Amino acid sequence: MNFKKKLLFTLVVVCFLYATYKAEESTSFFGKDQGDTKDVCDGDECDGDAKTNVDTKHDHENTESKSNADDSSDSDEINVIITFTNAVGNTHFHDKFRLTVSSLLKHASVPLAIHIIGDPQSQELAEKIIAESTKNMKRRYRMVNLDVDKLAKDLDKVVKPMQKHFSSQRAYYSHALFFLSIAIHRVLPKSMHRVIMLDADLKFMEDIRKLYNRFELFTGENIIGIGRDLQPVYRHTFSEYRREHRATRVGSPPPDGLSGFNSGVLMLDLERMRKSKLYNSLLNEESLSRLTDEFKFKGHLGDQDFFSLLSMKYEELFHVLPCEWNRQLCQWWRDKGYQEVFDLYFRCDADVKIYHGNCDTPIP
């Protein structure tokens, strides 16, 4: 009898300890308290000093009701990067950013990690804008701050040659932040495998999960998903090369031409970027000079100039997004001598999934 009592007592204790353990283990959708997880990588999981670039903010959730995303697992979280810097006092920029993030979260069916590249004041403002514009939504997200100055410093050897070839002293795109996407795979934690990088002048009409699913369509040496520029920008930029090569595809319109890219929506397969010997061999002054000389190229649009130039010779590095995933609205080049060919670039007959109000064009 004593043995049975001891056995029963032991079972009760074990059950109690297990129940206590499970209660302590219960966490938010994103795991344990994110306020204690500023170091998002550790030891071999960090690439260089990547961990010092990241400051993870707390999770946000509308607790009034649950969304369908509640059935997802942590692995379903999508990493999104948006640049939002020098934003204090710029109310017009606030409005564009607010539309971008509110429409993004409105349609998202899975939780998002929203990484903000910017100065501390802009990052605080970004968190406030997102919280205010999504307070009535049923979507989960967490904020992650990326230090733009630290990123620029870590990537200085890559960025400086880019600034020389793809910006001018007066150009808006001369700042280092407009080149970070080119080599961000070198400083983000190795635990991050894929990320979608967005401009702050977009309007989502579709679930970003459907865009993310296009990573599965990457083939061969594809490392970056990017949409064509929907204006004859690179027809103009490569005009000297085109005069010398009349039958070239360079700068010609789709579907057969190499019309160049717009970087407002970028799909970066960080793991593929890290492993690509071809791509990484091109991130230096010697390779850049060779390519710019070959194509007689001088740009001023930051990273998209670099990606566009690369695509003229190394198409295999890019998965071309259909126009509906970056439906640019700017028509600046229509009356700049390209009226006859403009619509060959600008036309997009598909149902729009992301509007892009580039060159400050109003979004429907």
Side-chain angles (χ1 to χ4, degrees), residues 35-67:
D36 296 327
T37 58
K38 289 187 177 182
D39 292 338
V40 298
C41 58
D42 184 38
D44 293 336
E45 287 301 304
C46 288
D47 189 2
D49 294 326
K51 70 188 289 186
T52 63
N53 294 328
V54 184
D55 176 22
T56 304
K57 306 295 281 187
H58 56 279
D59 304 337
H60 301 260
E61 178 186 1
N62 182 327
T63 57
E64 293 180 1
S65 59
K66 301 286 186 179
S67 70

Side-chain angles (χ1 to χ4, degrees), residues 338-358:
Y338 294 98
Q339 295 92 332
E340 293 185 4
V341 299
F342 185 85
D343 284 323
L344 296 177
Y345 296 84
F346 189 73
R347 183 173 179 175
C348 181
D349 295 326
D351 291 335
V352 176
K353 294 177 171 56
I354 302 177
Y355 282 108
H356 185 184
N358 53 331

Side-chain angles (χ1 to χ4, degrees), residues 107-165:
H107 294 284
S109 63
V110 295
L112 305 179
I114 303 177
H115 304 249
I116 301 295
I117 297 179
D119 57 275
Q121 293 79 13
S122 296
Q123 289 169 334
E124 289 180 11
L125 181 59
E127 183 173 10
K128 181 180 178 181
I129 290 174
I130 296 176
E132 290 177 348
S133 60
T134 60
K135 60 184 178 182
N136 295 321
M137 293 185 184
K138 304 173 184 178
R139 299 293 182 262
R140 289 175 170 139
Y141 66 93
R142 64 184 175 96
M143 296 282 295
V144 183
N145 290 335
L146 299 176
D147 187 333
V148 63
D149 293 328
K150 182 66 169 65
L151 288 172
K153 181 180 178 181
D154 289 346
L155 296 176
D156 184 65
K157 289 183 179 180
V158 174
V159 167
K160 275 194 174 178
M162 300 291 171
Q163 290 174 305
K164 173 183 175 182
H165 292 287

Side-chain angles (χ1 to χ4, degrees), residues 115-226:
H115 304 249
I116 301 295
I117 297 179
D119 57 275
Q121 293 79 13
S122 296
Q123 289 169 334
E124 289 180 11
L125 181 59
E127 183 173 10
K128 181 180 178 181
I129 290 174
I130 296 176
E132 290 177 348
S133 60
T134 60
K135 60 184 178 182
N136 295 321
M137 293 185 184
K138 304 173 184 178
R139 299 293 182 262
R140 289 175 170 139
Y141 66 93
R142 64 184 175 96
M143 296 282 295
V144 183
N145 290 335
L146 299 176
D147 187 333
V148 63
D149 293 328
K150 182 66 169 65
L151 288 172
K153 181 180 178 181
D154 289 346
L155 296 176
D156 184 65
K157 289 183 179 180
V158 174
V159 167
K160 275 194 174 178
M162 300 291 171
Q163 290 174 305
K164 173 183 175 182
H165 292 287
F166 308 121
S167 67
S168 65
Q169 290 183 345
R170 296 179 298 172
Y172 173 67
Y173 295 94
S174 62
H175 194 287
L177 67 88
F178 293 105
F179 298 90
L180 297 181
S181 64
I182 294 170
I184 203 165
H185 62 289
R186 294 184 173 181
V187 292
L188 289 179
K190 288 183 178 179
S191 56
M192 287 179 63
H193 304 296
R194 293 170 171 175
V195 66
I196 294 176
M197 200 164 184
L198 303 171
D199 278 0
D201 55 353
L202 307 175
K203 181 180 180 180
F204 277 76
M205 308 298 292
E206 184 58 272
D207 186 355
I208 193 173
R209 180 60 183 266
K210 293 184 179 180
L211 174 62
Y212 189 84
N213 288 344
R214 295 192 67 88
F215 276 116
E216 301 306 321
L217 301 180
F218 283 27
T219 59
E221 294 189 57
N222 291 170
I223 61 172
I224 294 170
I226 187 171

Side-chain angles (χ1 to χ4, degrees), residues 86-330:
N86 297 325
V88 176
N90 189 342
T91 56
H92 184 53
F93 190 21
H94 302 175
D95 292 339
K96 293 195 290 186
F97 177 76
R98 181 177 292 106
L99 178 61
T100 300
V101 295
S102 62
S103 62
L104 166 65
L105 287 161
K106 175 183 177 181
H107 294 284
S109 63
V110 295
L112 305 179
I114 303 177
H115 304 249
I116 301 295
I117 297 179
D119 57 275
Q121 293 79 13
S122 296
Q123 289 169 334
E124 289 180 11
L125 181 59
E127 183 173 10
K128 181 180 178 181
I129 290 174
I130 296 176
E132 290 177 348
S133 60
T134 60
K135 60 184 178 182
N136 295 321
M137 293 185 184
K138 304 173 184 178
R139 299 293 182 262
R140 289 175 170 139
Y141 66 93
R142 64 184 175 96
M143 296 282 295
V144 183
N145 290 335
L146 299 176
D147 187 333
V148 63
D149 293 328
K150 182 66 169 65
L151 288 172
K153 181 180 178 181
D154 289 346
L155 296 176
D156 184 65
K157 289 183 179 180
V158 174
V159 167
K160 275 194 174 178
M162 300 291 171
Q163 290 174 305
K164 173 183 175 182
H165 292 287
F166 308 121
S167 67
S168 65
Q169 290 183 345
R170 296 179 298 172
Y172 173 67
Y173 295 94
S174 62
H175 194 287
L177 67 88
F178 293 105
F179 298 90
L180 297 181
S181 64
I182 294 170
I184 203 165
H185 62 289
R186 294 184 173 181
V187 292
L188 289 179
K190 288 183 178 179
S191 56
M192 287 179 63
H193 304 296
R194 293 170 171 175
V195 66
I196 294 176
M197 200 164 184
L198 303 171
D199 278 0
D201 55 353
L202 307 175
K203 181 180 180 180
F204 277 76
M205 308 298 292
E206 184 58 272
D207 186 355
I208 193 173
R209 180 60 183 266
K210 293 184 179 180
L211 174 62
Y212 189 84
N213 288 344
R214 295 192 67 88
F215 276 116
E216 301 306 321
L217 301 180
F218 283 27
T219 59
E221 294 189 57
N222 291 170
I223 61 172
I224 294 170
I226 187 171
R228 299 183 186 278
D229 199 295
L230 301 185
Q231 294 193 93
V233 175
Y234 293 102
R235 187 186 187 99
H236 180 83
T237 308
F238 287 102
S239 57
E240 185 176 352
Y241 181 86
R242 287 171 58 82
R243 281 194 296 270
E244 297 178 4
H245 302 80
R246 295 293 182 179
T248 186
R249 297 168 62 215
V250 171
S252 295
D256 299 321
L258 300 174
S259 52
F261 294 129
N262 179 278
S263 60
V265 177
L266 280 173
M267 300 175 63
L268 305 177
D269 192 314
L270 301 174
E271 194 159 357
R272 281 180 170 236
M273 292 174 76
R274 293 174 186 123
K275 292 178 179 178
S276 175
K277 293 181 180 180
L278 171 59
Y279 182 74
N280 287 288
S281 73
L282 299 169
L283 303 182
N284 58 73
E285 173 64 31
E286 182 181 354
S287 296
L288 287 176
S289 295
R290 185 171 61 250
L291 276 172
T292 53
D293 289 346
E294 178 180 349
F295 289 98
K296 304 182 185 304
F297 186 92
K298 181 64 176 81
H300 64 284
L301 296 174
D303 59 354
Q304 76 173 46
D305 278 339
F306 174 69
F307 295 140
S308 296
L309 177 60
L310 250 57
S311 71
M312 303 303 159
K313 192 164 187 175
Y314 305 105
E315 294 180 63
E316 65 271 23
L317 291 175
F318 302 96
H319 168 76
V320 179
L321 290 176
C323 62
E324 62 264 29
W325 284 110
N326 182 3
R327 202 326 173 205
Q328 303 132 57
L329 300 173
C330 181

